[in-house]
Each structure stands twice: as C-alpha cells, then as structure tokens.
Amino acid sequence: MIARIQRLLPAFIFLALAVGCSRDEPPVSTAAPVVAETAIPAQAPVTVPDVEWRRHGMNEAETRFSTLADINDANVSKLGLAWYFDYPTARGMEATPLVVDGVIYTSGSWSMVYANDAVTGELLWFYDPQVPRNWAVHGCCDVVNRGVAFDKGRLYFGTYDGRLISLNAADGSVRWSVQTTDTERPYTITGAPRIAKDKVIIGNGGGEFGVRGYVTAYDLDSGEQEWRFYTVPGNPADGFENDAMKRAADTWGGGEWWVIGGGGTVWDSMAYDPELNLLYVGVGNGAPWNRQIRSPAGGDNLYLSSIVALNPDDGSYVWHYQTTPGETWDYTATQHMILADIPIGDKVRKVIMQAPKNGFFYVLDRATGELLSAEAYAAMTWATGVDMKTGRPLEVEGARYENGPTNLQLPGPIGGHNWHPMSFSPDTGLVYIPAQDAPWVYATDEGFKYQPGYWNTGTDNRVAALPDDPALRAQVLAEVKGAIIAWDPVAGKPRWRVEHVGPWNGGMLSTAGNLLLQGNGSGQLVAYKADTGDVLWDFDAQTGIVAPPVTFRIDGTQYIAVVAGWGGVLALSGGDALKTGPVANRSRLLVFKLGGEASLPPAVDKPLIIDPPPLTATAEQVAEGFQQFMIYCMPCHGDGAVSGGVTPDLRALTPEKHAMWDAIVLGGMHWQNGMVGFSGVLAKEQADNIHHYVIERAHFAVDQGEGAVVEEEAMVVDEEEGEVVEAD
Ligand code: CA
C-alpha cells in the first residue's frame, strides 16, 4: 500500500499543480450529466477482485491450492518473469511468501524479514533481528526461516535463536519480542507461526542437539504467554505439567531421557480447524534418535512422532496419533498436515492427511484421531505395513539396529518426505508429495557420550557414510532418488509420478488452472499439468529451489512467486548423495506473470579446484579424524567433506586456509559466517586429525577423477552481511 501511494504521488502533485493554475478560472461543474430515461447506461467496468495469500498454507486447512485460473494449462507457456529481488544473504531459503494488501512478505536466512511491493518488487522495508552468527553451529538444518504469519496489520515470526517477534506490517517496526526458548539449550526456530483466534502459536527445533520439545501460544496484542504444551515428559521427580505428560511418562523408561531432553520438537507443521476448534501439531523425533540410549526399557515414548490435537484456547490435549511408536530413526511427524473433507467408504469424512518421514501416508478423522488409512507412499524397508486395528507399523526384524547395524534402510533420516509442503487439489482429488528415497545405515554409537550443544543422535554416522568402493558407492547412489508423487488419498495409492535427478526438491502449489508448480534441486521452476504430470513450462532459476511457490492476483493480473535459494539440511549434509552436484545459492524472490519480460543477470560460476597438500598422516589418524568430523563437521560440511554448495567444500581449501586451520577450527576466526571455534570441545590433536581426514578426502576425490575440477559452488557474496562463502 505504501508503495502504491508513493507511485501515485507524482500524479497527485501534477494534478494539484494543474488545479492550482486554473483556480482563477470559473469552476467547471463536475456533476454527472442527467441521463435521459431512454439512454443506454454505460457498461460498468468489470472489476476482478484481488486474491491474497494471507496464511502460511494459503488457508487454515493448509491445502496450498488456489482457485485462481487466469494462468492455466492452456497459457502457462507464456509465463515470464515479472520482477526479481536479490536477498543480501547466501544461505538456505525455505519461506512461503504471504501477500496482503499489495505487499509480499518473505523471510530468509538468519531470520531476516522483507516487505516488497508485490507488483513492482520495490523493497518497502526489511528487518534484521541480528541472530548471533555463531548460533548456526547449534542447529542441524541451516539458518532458514519458513515464513511469517499475518493478522490485522501485524506480522509474527520466529528467529533462529528462539525469539518470537511481532512487527508492524506497514513499516517493519517492532511491536514486541519474546524469548520462547531456554538460551542455555540448543533450541532453534525455523518454522512459521500459526494464528488461532487471538493467539499466535510457535514451536521450535533442536532434536538432534538435545532439547525437550513444546509449542507455546502468545496473545496477538500483548505478546504475553497464554499456554505451553510440552510434547514429551520431563524428569518425573519434578512432577508433571498435566495428565497428558503423566500418561506419556509411562511410555518412557530405564534412563534419564530428560538430561538430553527427549526431543519431540514441533519444528514445522501445524494446522487449525476453527469449526472443530482444534489445533494440530506435528511432533518430531527423539533426542537422541537412538531409543536404546534414550529409553533403554523400550516403550512408545509419547508423544514423539505423533500428530497431537490441542484445544487452542488453553493448550489442553484432545487426542493423538503416533505414527512411529518408539521412534529410533529420526522419523518425525513434523511434516505438512492438510485438512480436507473427502469421501471414505460411503460418507464424506473430515480428515487430516500427512506423509511423515516414515514413508506411510496417513488419513485420520480429524475430530477424533481415528485411523482411516495408512499406505506406503515411499520405498520402505523398515516396515511392511500398518496394522489397521492397532494403528502400529509392522516392523521388519533388525530395523531397530539393536543387534548390529541395519542394511541400507529406507526411508533414512531425511525421510520419504521432509518439510517441503505438499498441496491438495480438490479438482484432481490428489495430494502432491515432494518425495524422496535416501537410504541410510543405522548403527548404535557404542562410545556415545552426550556433548551438550552438539550433534547427539546416539547413532554411528560413520557407518552411514557413502562407501569408497566404487561399485558399492554406485549401488547406494542408485537408490537415491527424488520424485513428485501424485497421491490419491481415497484410493490410498499413487496416480502418477515424476522423477527428479536427486532428492531435496521444492514444495508444491496447485491451482484451479490445472497447474502444479514446483522448484527443484537442479535449479528449475517447473509447471506441470495437475491431472497428468505432463511438463508445460520451466524456468532456469540459476539456483536450487526448496521453498514452495504461491500465487495471488492484484489489479486483474495473476502472479506466481517463489523464494529461490539452495539450502536446508540435505543441502548442507548430503554430500554426493545430493546427486545434483554442488548447487549455487543465489537467494532471490522470483515473481512471474503471463507475458512477463524481465530477465535474470547471467550466472557467473568459477570452477572449483581441488589441489590438496600432501597427506602425511597415518590411517589411524585419518580414522580418528573421520569419527570427530561426523560429530562436529558433517551437519554443515557434508558427508565426506563434500559440500552441497551452501557451505565451503572443505576438499577445496586453498593453501592459505590450510595454514589457518587451527585459527579457524579451534580459534573461531570465521565465527561471523557461523563457523565457531571448537577449542572448548576439540583438543589440538583432534583438530589435526580432522584436518588429516579432510586432506585424505581431497586426495580421494582427485584419485576418483570426480573432483579434480568440479563445478563451482560459488555463491552470491555479500561483504556487508559477512556472507563470504569462499572456503573457510
Ligand atoms: Ca530430526
């Protein structure tokens, strides 16, 4: 609105001057002429209403389906770039834009918030909450933010360091800010808040590092805390917050899970049904992952990996459904949940649908939590199905790695589907799942020792690393895939499937124009026919896309917008398993319309040279370094030191950076980029061994001929924000 007023200003001034010049003239009547009864009235101009995107999932049901059809399967080939906006950062971008009153609100790396004119792209304001850059190392999944919430001219968003902030949407000024987490613990916030009546609800993350999950509701006006619901029990000796916690504690045992925290973070998905007055929260994995360490006596460990329905008025428990009892694989149920009314049997049921990491697509009655169907949407080796009487998965012998490592297991910790939003089209009756196959070998870390603030999964990630043997490596990589699955939730099976180069692709948007839109890890935004999956249009975004597109209409023109920019957990940690090779991160807001004629500047990529120093270490030192690397470095620098493009590829360090190893790794010289010093947890000898391992990996890459010169990771470099992303 501000920008529109600004755009109108010159015309207004001109008009005022023109009127001023003629003020001595006799006034000209502006009264409407009297229309004779026989005259034909002039046709009123057809006004097409504006259509906004006001809620994270488009609506409270989170369908991400738009009734707009001005852009459709017949004309989408004419879709072109209307404008773009370059963000000043080069880390992961996962936000769903909101569009309200002509302004597009997005959030990006380090929890920064931006307001642009939705028609012209003009930046109206931006807000940087000044997240401490060294916080990056205490979160698993990149310094991303999945979006803001809007209500009555006010914005709400979470920050990576655990604050919930409310801004005035008009100018980005701060209304209030609250710390929703214990800053002594490695909590992070990457998910978008949701609005339920007069409250804003926010969860948090940190399950891999050791926290206790919860959701909190705050008053929209004052920011005062209204209620908090913990998802896992605390120390029974301290008493329980409510009956739900007391019941949950009976399903944990044999160890002190509260020391590491238990997990169960609500780091992404929520949905709200105003009619049933229920708030649904998706609960995450256990902390640590490994139940043998977390709860040695076994048990289901409620409410890990569950959909929990709460009364939004007071945060009280209403019902739950646990997708993965006794979670031990990072099989979260934090994935996107969609509310819909669909025919099941001979009647229309109010359902909630989810495709959590564990590979089953669930349809539940959303009033009661009754299980209506559970069918495998992704390849799976850990279970053979779900018992419809008990609602429990039928686990395969050995899947729990209690007596040794698993075989290559599907799904792995990134899931058959991760946070990337799905879309449900009532026109096609299909749920579009951004799915993936990424196998993993689960094994207990026999020497596990809790390291507060760092990676604490209780699993031996060395066993899961890609094997060096070329044949074995190829065999594993052949199983790694990405796909769009068009899932029929009534029939409980896929109707069609589109294959991608690798896993880790963008979220979904479907429209009444028979369109399905998705960005992907190969850097394309693609429009498909929603009913068949045929490709209709694509656009080279010059960067990987993981965020979901949205659509809106202003002054009769429909637009499609997506936040482009590579990042997120697999982009950081995936290594060669990404299959796309390193992908540049150019963080950009891209907005399209029919006949749009804007173009992107040419992408300039430098080749990445791997020229390692000589390897002087023993095999034993390299092995020691490998162990430490997988605990402290892998979460950001990738399996095998192979960067996915967001952080530096450590195999390609320059001689100068090798010389500064101790200053960077122990001393924290690059803390402003998120690379803190590890002198508190790593001895000099351990840092040396990690260095040996990185050098060994560089020689391995050169020997394989795959890495002597690989495609550039190069990204946008912004001096002001300290986002210098050459090798550190
Ligand atoms: Ca997790």
Side-chain angles (χ1 to χ4, degrees):
M1 204 49 168
I2 292 169
R4 281 170 154 188
I5 291 166
Q6 283 169 349
R7 285 207 308 279
L8 289 171
L9 266 179
F12 176 76
I13 291 164
F14 175 78
L15 206 66
L17 287 172
V19 170
C21 287
S22 61
R23 69 183 163 194
D24 292 331
E25 304 288 322
V28 178
S29 169
T30 53
V34 177
V35 179
E37 275 179 23
T38 51
I40 299 163
Q43 196 83 35
V46 179
T47 51
V48 182
D50 286 358
V51 175
E52 304 184 319
W53 189 289
R54 294 175 79 96
R55 289 282 189 249
H56 182 68
M58 215 218 61
N59 42 32
E60 276 145 339
E62 308 257 338
T63 59
R64 291 176 180 268
F65 169 83
S66 170
T67 55
L68 286 174
D70 305 335
I71 302 169
N72 55 54
D73 55 355
N75 63 20
V76 71
S77 61
K78 298 188 181 67
L79 196 62
L81 191 65
W83 56 266
Y84 69 90
F85 169 75
D86 277 335
Y87 295 103
T89 56
R91 293 285 298 258
M93 302 298 283
E94 298 187 348
T96 296
L98 296 191
V99 181
V100 183
D101 202 11
V103 179
I104 182 164
Y105 300 100
T106 57
S107 58
S109 309
W110 304 107
S111 323
M112 294 182 196
V113 178
Y114 305 82
N116 293 71
D117 182 298
V119 171
T120 67
E122 179 194 354
L123 180 66
L124 305 177
W125 56 259
F126 97 105
Y127 178 74
D128 179 358
Q130 301 283 334
V131 170
R133 297 305 190 256
N134 58 359
W135 204 253
V137 81
H138 300 298
C140 80
C141 302
D142 205 351
V143 291
V144 296
N145 189 284
R146 286 186 213 92
V148 300
F150 177 93
D151 190 73
K152 299 190 188 80
R154 302 170 298 197
L155 299 178
Y156 303 86
F157 70 103
T159 68
Y160 202 68
D161 56 346
R163 289 168 285 161
L164 178 70
I165 298 177
S166 176
L167 304 176
N168 285 303
D171 59 8
S173 58
V174 176
R175 296 181 58 241
W176 51 256
S177 173
V178 292
Q179 184 73 43
T180 83
T181 57
D182 174 358
T183 53
E184 298 298 308
R185 286 283 195 160
Y187 283 104
T188 49
I189 297 179
T190 56
R194 304 300 202 279
I195 309 281
K197 294 194 219 171
D198 58 349
K199 297 179 182 65
V200 51
I201 326 289
I202 189 76
N204 47 55
E208 277 59 48
F209 292 74
V211 296
R212 181 186 181 198
Y214 56 84
V215 284
T216 317
Y218 295 88
D219 182 84
L220 287 171
D221 284 329
S222 66
E224 260 174 60
Q225 183 175 324
E226 297 281 331
W227 53 257
R228 174 165 290 175
F229 180 83
Y230 284 96
T231 53
V232 297
N235 184 350
D238 297 338
F240 299 108
E241 290 85 1
N242 51 50
D243 285 349
M245 281 305 100
K246 191 163 183 286
R247 287 195 300 275
D250 291 341
T251 67
W252 295 67
E256 299 182 326
W257 68 85
W258 55 88
V259 174
I260 299 178
T265 55
V266 180
W267 55 262
D268 190 55
S269 182
M270 290 183 254
Y272 170 51
D273 184 333
E275 195 190 313
L276 294 173
N277 196 35
L278 289 176
L279 173 75
Y280 306 95
V281 302
V283 182
N285 55 276
W289 293 353
N290 191 336
R291 187 183 65 168
Q292 296 166 70
I293 296 169
R294 187 180 71 233
S295 181
D300 288 351
N301 292 187
L302 291 170
Y303 298 92
L304 294 181
S305 306
S306 300
I307 296 172
V308 181
L310 302 173
N311 179 338
D313 296 334
D314 58 8
S316 60
Y317 166 97
V318 180
W319 60 256
H320 81 275
Y321 175 79
Q322 190 174 41
T323 60
T324 309
E327 197 291 301
T328 194
W329 307 275
D330 192 18
Y331 287 169
T332 65
T334 48
Q335 281 55 54
H336 182 192
M337 299 179 288
I338 295 176
L339 314 184
D341 296 350
I342 60 172
I344 302 279
D346 54 3
K347 54 182 173 180
V348 173
R349 302 288 295 257
K350 289 180 182 300
V351 305
I352 182 168
M353 302 185 282
Q354 189 190 48
K357 281 188 184 178
N358 76 8
F360 290 106
F361 189 96
Y362 294 91
V363 181
L364 308 175
D365 182 308
R366 72 173 178 273
T368 63
E370 180 196 351
L371 176 64
L372 301 176
S373 71
E375 300 291 340
Y377 69 88
M380 70 168 67
T381 62
W382 77 285
T384 55
V386 170
D387 180 331
M388 288 301 292
K389 283 204 187 73
T390 63
R392 302 174 73 89
L394 304 163
E395 290 177 18
V396 168
E397 178 96 31
R400 288 187 173 271
Y401 54 102
E402 282 166 340
N403 301 310
T406 62
N407 294 323
L408 268 185
Q409 184 158 310
L410 279 163
I414 70 156
H417 166 222
N418 207 289
W419 63 269
H420 313 82
M422 310 187 293
S423 173
F424 170 64
S425 164
D427 287 359
T428 62
L430 297 172
V431 176
Y432 302 97
I433 312 171
Q436 57 208 358
D437 294 338
W440 185 262
V441 179
Y442 290 93
T444 291
D445 179 359
E446 300 295 349
F448 175 72
K449 193 170 156 284
Y450 173 45
Q451 291 279 20
Y454 293 94
W455 193 253
N456 288 294
T457 59
T459 54
D460 190 340
N461 296 323
R462 291 172 296 173
V463 182
L466 277 176
D468 285 353
D469 178 82
L472 279 175
R473 198 177 183 86
Q475 192 188 326
V476 176
L477 288 175
E479 289 203 40
V480 181
K481 301 182 187 86
I484 300 172
I485 297 173
W487 184 262
D488 180 338
V490 176
K493 58 184 184 188
R495 204 177 293 164
W496 51 258
R497 181 183 170 105
V498 169
E499 301 294 335
H500 288 314
V501 175
W504 211 248
N505 300 290
M508 300 289 183
L509 166 69
S510 64
T511 77
N514 193 27
L515 293 179
L516 175 69
L517 287 120
Q518 185 199 31
N520 60 47
S522 305
Q524 308 286 315
L525 179 66
V526 184
Y528 302 89
K529 267 186 98 166
D531 55 354
T532 62
D534 293 331
V535 175
L536 298 173
W537 170 89
D538 64 53
F539 178 85
D540 177 8
Q542 304 177 346
T543 183
I545 300 175
V546 290
V550 300
T551 189
F552 55 95
R553 183 167 63 196
I554 294 176
D555 296 339
T557 300
Q558 184 186 352
Y559 298 86
I560 286 165
V562 69
V563 173
W566 187 233
V569 63
L570 197 64
L572 288 174
S573 65
D576 281 340
L578 275 170
K579 294 182 93 170
T580 46
V583 178
N585 181 318
R586 296 185 176 83
S587 294
R588 268 184 188 142
L589 177 53
L590 302 171
V591 178
F592 301 87
K593 65 177 180 182
L594 291 177
E597 289 181 336
S599 57
L600 295 177
V604 182
D605 292 336
K606 306 173 297 204
L608 181 75
I609 310 294
I610 298 181
D611 184 17
L615 179 62
T616 57
T618 64
E620 206 171 30
Q621 286 173 310
V622 170
E624 288 287 331
F626 180 28
Q627 184 175 16
Q628 302 299 325
F629 184 92
M630 293 307 268
I631 296 169
Y632 296 106
C633 316
M634 180 276 289
C636 291
H637 287 284
D639 174 8
V642 186
S643 161
V646 185
T647 54
D649 190 320
L650 299 181
R651 302 170 307 167
L653 295 184
T654 59
E656 292 75 21
K657 293 290 163 71
H658 279 294
M660 291 189 284
W661 182 268
D662 284 359
I664 297 167
V665 174
L666 295 173
M669 187 178 172
H670 288 180
W671 68 273
Q672 282 178 311
N673 298 351
M675 174 63 195
V676 300
F678 284 76
S679 57
V681 286
L682 288 175
K684 164 84 171 103
E685 190 190 353
Q686 291 174 306
D688 287 345
N689 288 337
I690 293 173
H691 196 183
H692 294 316
Y693 169 69
V694 165
I695 292 169
E696 187 271 340
R697 286 292 90 185
H699 282 279
F700 175 75
V702 173
D703 291 348
Q704 296 298 300
E706 63 182 68
V709 176
V710 294
E711 252 189 74
E712 138 66 343
E713 73 191 288
M715 302 146 238
V716 181
V717 174
D718 182 77
E719 306 291 343
E720 195 179 272
E721 292 302 330
E723 296 274 337
V724 185
V725 271
E726 60 180 294
D728 68 3

